[in-house]
Amino acid sequence: MYLTKEEERTYDGEYGWANQICMKILVRLGELFNATRLIPISSAHVAGVSYKTLGDAPAEFLQALAKADGKAKVRATLNPQSFDPEYLGRRLPKHIREKQLNILKQFEKMGFTRSLTCTPYYLEKPKRDSHLAWAESSAVVYANSVLGAWTNREGGPSALAAAIIGKTPDYGMHRAENRQSNILVDVKTSLRNEAEFGALGIYLGKILEDKIPIIQGLNDVSEVKLKQLGAALATTGMVNMFYHNTRRERGEIEKIIVEAEDLKRTSEELSTTAEVKPDLVFIGCPHCSLDEIRKIAGLMDDKKVRAGTEFWVCTSCYVKERAEDYVKKIEKSGGCVLTDMCTIVSWTETLGIKTIMTNSAKTAYYAPTLNKAETVFAPLKQCLDTTLEG
Ligand code: F3S
């Protein structure tokens, strides 16, 4: 792999251990995927922020990097942590809080933005055709498919290294020839809501692996529904990008058909119980946009959250600050708008949550394993009908 003189000096350790180790991570990765050079990125987004999934050894590596003066050279944002300090902090043991706060402190020392969200594009939208090094799979698919930016699905360490070097190896989704569609998906049924877009993603992810589909036949498309589709595609497959409702310009490609029955079966499989009174109803995987919070507040209709059920809406601090009136409405009904956290990488078992109802296919897919919870998968409207009384 070709390195500039400056990059070589970094590799040889002239700019300190933190830069050297990060350069070595990127060069190793580049060599593995036959990249010929490094290219500048406009932002990095790091996953692996929650202490629950990170554990102690990676946290020590972060501490060493920060101590050795590692500094982000580009805008660098962070995925959610394991709890919302305001609502859940005091319900968790002190040692968990301390370990988590220490991780955040190291990132902040290195100049990372305390975004703590999986939707960094709501804070600052990357430009079309800009190169990124993002590690959150749902955000990667959204960036490539909806925003028109270019990013591979980074792992935690490579996104971290890219943030500190300000560059990424030029391979995969950074190259135009790898962004061509190579399979056609014909959806033969009308999708009625965001949950069905999620179910489609779960179904297709298993079939497509790392292919790039053109998905035809989608009706009533919105950015929120595409966000659910992309998050779910990346949950069961290695899909990093999709096109929708467009035509392939030339060449024959493989074609698959999706029928109503495929989605019905997938949706049913995402529920592990028919529990009518879940411990938690959760909306916000991926994190909610301002529009979604506005919609939820409207649907609450001044009703009250049922006793014995928690209602969480997850988003970033950035969006919550801009949603003040809607937040008040949701809270008045007994719900919580939580920030900075992801339910899947949170300590729900410690909080006594055994059943989770959600409109997110990604959460429904992971919660039985990662949260040891039963799941009920349903569209937003149905989640609210279950949550509210009066
Ligand atoms: Fe975001 Fe967590 Fe879902 S990081 S995409 S809320 S699993």
Side-chain angles (χ1 to χ4, degrees):
M1 191 163 132
Y2 168 79
L3 295 184
T4 63
K5 287 276 171 275
E6 190 69 358
E7 288 164 357
E8 262 175 19
R9 281 199 280 273
T10 308
Y11 190 94
D12 292 336
E14 272 187 46
Y15 301 114
W17 174 80
N19 287 311
Q20 182 183 33
I21 188 86
C22 290
M23 182 58 90
K24 286 195 165 175
I25 291 172
L26 296 183
V27 170
R28 183 81 195 98
L29 184 69
E31 283 171 353
L32 217 58
F33 288 97
N34 297 321
T36 50
R37 60 183 185 134
L38 294 173
I39 50 169
I41 50 168
S42 49
S43 69
H45 180 74
V46 170
V49 177
S50 160
Y51 173 59
K52 187 181 177 194
T53 47
L54 204 58
D56 288 316
E60 279 162 23
F61 176 64
L62 278 178
Q63 194 150 347
L65 269 187
K67 198 167 167 212
D69 245 1
K71 289 273 180 291
K73 292 203 181 51
V74 289
R75 177 177 169 76
T77 44
L78 296 172
N79 231 28
Q81 58 154 322
S82 57
F83 62 89
D84 171 309
E86 194 187 329
Y87 287 90
L88 302 183
R90 57 184 173 275
R91 290 168 64 185
L92 292 169
K94 192 168 167 231
H95 78 276
I96 287 182
R97 282 183 280 146
E98 285 178 355
K99 296 265 188 189
Q100 182 65 76
L101 291 177
N102 184 45
I103 290 169
L104 298 185
K105 202 167 123 197
Q106 305 313 318
F107 276 121
E108 278 178 287
K109 233 169 143 180
M110 291 191 280
F112 283 71
T113 303
R114 201 189 161 107
S115 55
L116 300 175
T117 182
C118 46
T119 54
Y121 42 84
Y122 292 148
L123 279 61
E124 189 174 308
K125 212 183 213 181
K127 291 205 176 81
R128 267 199 109 67
D129 301 330
S130 58
H131 291 270
L132 322 171
W134 283 14
E136 161 56 38
S137 65
S138 66
V140 166
V141 181
Y142 196 86
N144 282 319
S145 316
V146 181
L147 304 177
W150 299 39
T151 177
N152 283 323
R153 188 191 296 198
E154 301 291 344
S158 66
L160 177 63
I164 286 175
I165 299 297
K167 294 180 180 180
T168 193
D170 184 18
Y171 73 94
M173 301 304 290
H174 293 288
R175 305 188 63 88
E177 66 270 25
N178 297 329
R179 299 174 65 90
Q180 305 294 322
S181 57
N182 44 20
I183 188 163
L184 188 69
V185 175
D186 194 359
V187 181
K188 292 286 188 200
T189 177
S190 292
L191 305 186
R192 291 165 299 178
N193 50 55
E194 78 294 348
E196 292 192 346
F197 274 73
L200 174 65
I202 294 288
Y203 176 74
L204 288 177
K206 292 179 192 167
I207 301 172
L208 296 175
E209 296 169 352
D210 62 351
K211 295 199 178 92
I212 300 181
I214 297 184
I215 307 176
Q216 288 181 341
L218 296 181
N219 57 293
D220 197 17
V221 172
S222 68
E223 289 190 353
V224 167
K225 290 173 182 166
L226 294 178
K227 180 173 72 169
Q228 287 298 334
L229 169 64
L233 274 170
T235 297
T236 46
M238 285 306 291
V239 178
N240 286 327
M241 181 179 184
F242 65 87
Y243 297 93
H244 69 280
N245 293 348
T246 177
R247 287 187 172 280
R248 194 167 198 263
E249 279 162 22
R250 26 173 220 282
E252 280 294 297
I253 49 171
E254 188 187 342
K255 181 173 171 175
I256 57 169
I257 290 176
V258 181
E259 306 278 3
E261 182 52 35
D262 300 319
L263 299 187
K264 185 168 174 280
R265 199 179 52 249
T266 306
S267 290
E268 283 167 5
E269 284 168 6
L270 286 168
S271 290
T272 61
T273 176
E275 179 56 73
V276 284
K277 283 189 188 158
D279 300 322
L280 169 67
V281 178
F282 162 57
I283 311 295
C285 168
H287 276 179
C288 285
S289 65
L290 187 57
D291 266 354
E292 286 173 282
I293 297 181
R294 178 189 302 135
K295 185 173 173 185
I296 294 164
L299 290 168
M300 304 285 292
D301 207 15
D302 294 327
K303 291 188 182 142
K304 292 281 173 238
V305 171
R306 209 181 284 279
T309 300
E310 298 198 43
F311 179 60
W312 295 358
V313 176
C314 280
T315 188
S316 61
C317 260
Y318 177 91
V319 169
K320 185 175 177 180
E321 279 165 15
R322 283 152 184 80
E324 214 183 311
D325 290 347
Y326 312 124
V327 171
K328 274 190 200 145
K329 214 167 163 202
I330 294 169
E331 290 182 341
K332 204 171 149 219
S333 294
C336 297
V337 179
L338 306 180
T339 63
D340 300 354
M341 65 167 270
C342 157
T343 299
I344 287 296
V345 299
S346 180
W347 311 87
T348 50
E349 311 96 286
T350 314
L351 298 172
I353 292 165
K354 295 192 177 68
T355 323
I356 301 176
M357 183 178 202
T358 183
N359 69 339
S360 161
K362 179 172 179 177
T363 290
Y365 185 86
Y366 281 131
T369 337
L370 297 180
N371 303 81
K372 298 187 181 48
E374 299 284 350
T375 53
V376 187
F377 175 59
L380 174 65
K381 178 79 178 59
Q382 200 177 320
C383 287
L384 287 175
D385 288 347
T386 304
T387 307
L388 301 169
E389 62 187 357

